[in-house]
Amino acid sequence: MLLRLLDELMEDELERILFREEQISERLDQLAAEITADYQGKDLTVIAVLNGSLIFMADLLRRIPLPLQLDCLRVRSYYDGKVTTGKVAFDASTLPDLRSRHVLLLDDILDSGHTLAALVDEFRAHFKPISLKSCVLLRKNKARARPIEADYVGFNIADEFVVGYGLDYQEHYRNLAFIGVLKS
Ligand code: IMP
Ligand code: MG
């Protein structure tokens, strides 16, 4: 039943599948190993950007055997269809004191760079963690509106609009187990 529904959805609305479940899983093993090695013996706090990184976060963190802490930050990027307006809003006031922590920001995708740049600016200015790095599942190969790069990248992709595995188009498709390109 579910598979049939997904098949129909794919046929109608997706152009193609970009990364299957197994490919994502394999890449997460490598990414987690890298992060685990880098944060050995450090007080790590992961800040996951909601909603997009929710599934990525859950799968990645269960592969990182470190005594880390987790917090989530709801961030809204305002969209005009598939194009960001550059407006980013979040409320970091609920986060704990991070001055003695190594902070790793987790986001679903690096696109224009507005979101990550705004977060990095805010964290550097107000939270002053010992270190601040970022990790994205996907990184679009394109010129960015803000000059920012992520420290850890799952996959580099072309400048296409993708959905699934947490990523949405107008709040749809987040629960797909794979990542696909939406028909334009
Ligand atoms: P940026 O601020 O333009 O780098 O993009 C930040 C947010 O836009 C991401 O966290 C996503 O939520 C959303 N986004 C950007 N590109 C895509 C895409 O291809 N599919 C789904 N969401 C996207
Ligand atoms: Mg979105």
Side-chain angles (χ1 to χ4, degrees):
M1 172 66 176
L2 190 61
L3 281 177
R4 226 179 87 77
L5 278 177
L6 277 183
D7 280 353
E8 283 169 15
L9 188 79
M10 272 169 40
E11 267 186 46
D12 292 353
E13 299 172 38
L14 297 188
E15 192 178 293
R16 66 184 194 282
I17 294 179
L18 212 49
F19 302 109
R20 298 189 174 278
E21 234 180 313
E22 311 79 66
Q23 288 175 283
I24 298 172
S25 172
E26 252 174 57
R27 184 65 189 117
L28 290 197
D29 286 342
Q30 300 167 345
L31 209 50
E34 217 182 305
I35 292 169
T36 302
D38 291 353
Y39 286 96
Q40 211 63 244
K42 292 179 177 165
D43 293 322
L44 172 62
T45 297
V46 173
I47 307 279
V49 176
L50 299 181
N51 296 328
S53 77
L54 195 51
I55 292 169
F56 172 43
M57 168 199 73
D59 284 346
L60 182 73
L61 293 195
R62 282 177 292 175
R63 289 169 161 84
I64 301 179
L66 294 175
L68 58 82
Q69 293 179 6
L70 169 65
D71 258 288
C72 295
L73 192 59
R74 176 177 283 269
V75 178
R76 291 214 74 93
S77 328
Y78 291 88
Y79 266 78
D80 189 5
K82 296 177 186 171
V83 184
T84 177
T85 60
K87 238 186 84 190
V88 178
F90 57 89
D91 176 14
S93 68
T94 56
L95 293 177
D97 187 0
L98 296 168
R99 268 171 301 188
S100 60
R101 311 288 303 175
H102 292 269
V103 170
L104 180 63
L105 299 170
L106 277 196
D107 204 357
D108 54 357
I109 189 166
L110 176 60
D111 182 23
S112 71
H114 281 298
T115 305
L116 201 55
L119 287 172
V120 166
D121 285 352
E122 171 75 10
F123 275 71
R124 289 242 159 85
H126 295 112
F127 289 102
K128 303 181 170 56
I130 302 173
S131 74
L132 179 64
K133 284 193 189 181
S134 56
C135 172
V136 292
L137 176 65
L138 304 170
R139 172 186 172 276
K140 280 191 196 172
N141 241 323
K142 65 188 281 189
R144 273 172 248 299
R146 302 277 308 262
I148 184 123
E149 283 303 333
D151 299 282
Y152 303 94
V153 173
F155 300 99
N156 284 290
I157 65 169
D159 188 9
E160 298 178 295
F161 200 86
V162 296
V163 295
Y165 200 73
L167 292 119
D168 73 302
Y169 174 61
Q170 298 181 347
E171 295 306 323
H172 293 288
Y173 311 110
R174 289 199 199 273
N175 59 329
L176 292 181
F178 53 85
I179 296 167
V181 177
L182 205 59
K183 267 187 194 161
S184 43

Coordinates of all heavy atoms in Angstrom, one line a residue, residues 51-52 75-77 79 108-109 161 166-171 174, ligand 2:
N51 N 13.0 22.3 10.3 CA 12.6 20.9 10.4 C 13.5 20.0 9.5 O 13.5 18.8 9.7 CB 11.2 20.8 9.9 CG 10.1 21.4 10.8 OD1 10.3 21.5 12.0 ND2 9.1 21.9 10.2
G52 N 14.2 20.7 8.5 CA 14.8 19.9 7.5 C 15.8 18.8 7.9 O 15.9 17.8 7.3
V75 N 14.3 27.0 12.4 CA 14.7 28.1 11.6 C 13.7 28.1 10.4 O 13.4 27.1 9.8 CB 16.1 28.0 11.1 CG1 16.5 29.1 10.1 CG2 17.1 27.9 12.2
R76 N 13.3 29.3 10.1 CA 12.4 29.4 8.9 C 13.1 30.3 7.8 O 13.6 31.4 8.1 CB 11.1 30.1 9.2 CG 10.2 29.3 10.1 CD 8.7 29.6 9.8 NE 8.3 29.0 8.5 CZ 7.8 27.8 8.5 NH1 7.6 27.1 9.5 NH2 7.5 27.2 7.3
S77 N 13.3 29.7 6.6 CA 13.7 30.5 5.5 C 12.5 30.8 4.7 O 11.7 29.9 4.4 CB 14.7 29.7 4.6 OG 15.4 28.8 5.4
Y79 N 10.4 31.4 1.5 CA 10.5 31.0 0.1 C 9.5 31.6 -0.8 O 8.3 31.8 -0.4 CB 10.4 29.4 0.0 CG 11.8 28.8 0.1 CD1 12.5 28.7 1.2 CD2 12.4 28.4 -1.1 CE1 13.8 28.2 1.3 CE2 13.7 27.9 -1.1 CZ 14.4 27.8 0.1 OH 15.6 27.3 0.1
D108 N 20.1 20.5 6.7 CA 19.8 19.6 5.6 C 20.6 19.9 4.4 O 21.2 19.1 3.8 CB 18.3 19.5 5.4 CG 17.7 20.9 5.1 OD1 18.4 21.9 5.2 OD2 16.5 20.9 4.8
I109 N 20.6 21.2 4.0 CA 21.2 21.6 2.7 C 21.8 23.0 2.7 O 21.2 23.9 3.4 CB 20.1 21.4 1.6 CG1 20.7 21.5 0.2 CG2 19.0 22.4 1.8 CD1 19.8 21.0 -0.9
F161 N 16.3 21.4 -7.3 CA 15.4 21.4 -6.1 C 15.2 20.0 -5.8 O 14.6 19.2 -6.5 CB 14.1 22.2 -6.3 CG 13.5 22.6 -5.0 CD1 13.9 23.7 -4.4 CD2 12.6 21.7 -4.4 CE1 13.4 24.0 -3.1 CE2 12.1 22.1 -3.1 CZ 12.5 23.2 -2.5
G166 N 13.7 14.4 4.8 CA 13.7 15.6 5.7 C 13.4 16.8 4.9 O 12.9 17.8 5.4
L167 N 13.8 16.8 3.6 CA 13.7 18.0 2.8 C 12.3 18.1 2.2 O 11.7 17.1 1.7 CB 14.7 18.1 1.7 CG 16.1 18.2 2.2 CD1 17.0 17.1 1.8 CD2 16.7 19.5 1.6
D168 N 11.7 19.3 2.2 CA 10.4 19.5 1.7 C 10.2 20.4 0.5 O 11.1 21.2 0.2 CB 9.5 20.1 2.8 CG 9.8 21.6 3.0 OD1 11.0 21.9 3.3 OD2 8.9 22.4 2.9
Y169 N 9.1 20.3 -0.2 CA 8.6 21.3 -1.1 C 7.3 21.7 -0.5 O 6.3 20.9 -0.5 CB 8.5 20.9 -2.5 CG 7.9 21.9 -3.4 CD1 8.5 23.2 -3.5 CD2 6.7 21.7 -4.1 CE1 8.0 24.2 -4.3 CE2 6.1 22.7 -4.9 CZ 6.8 23.9 -5.0 OH 6.2 24.9 -5.7
Q170 N 7.2 22.9 0.0 CA 5.9 23.4 0.7 C 5.4 22.4 1.7 O 4.2 22.0 1.6 CB 4.9 23.8 -0.4 CG 5.5 24.9 -1.2 CD 4.5 25.4 -2.3 OE1 3.5 24.8 -2.6 NE2 4.8 26.6 -2.9
E171 N 6.3 21.9 2.5 CA 6.0 20.9 3.6 C 5.6 19.5 3.1 O 5.3 18.7 4.0 CB 5.0 21.5 4.6 CG 5.4 22.7 5.3 CD 6.8 22.6 6.1 OE1 7.0 21.5 6.6 OE2 7.5 23.5 6.1
R174 N 8.7 15.2 3.1 CA 9.8 15.1 4.1 C 10.0 13.6 4.5 O 11.1 13.2 4.9 CB 9.5 15.9 5.4 CG 9.6 17.4 5.2 CD 9.7 18.0 6.6 NE 9.3 19.5 6.6 CZ 10.2 20.4 6.3 NH1 11.4 20.2 6.0 NH2 9.8 21.7 6.3
Ligands
MG2 MG 12.1 23.9 3.6

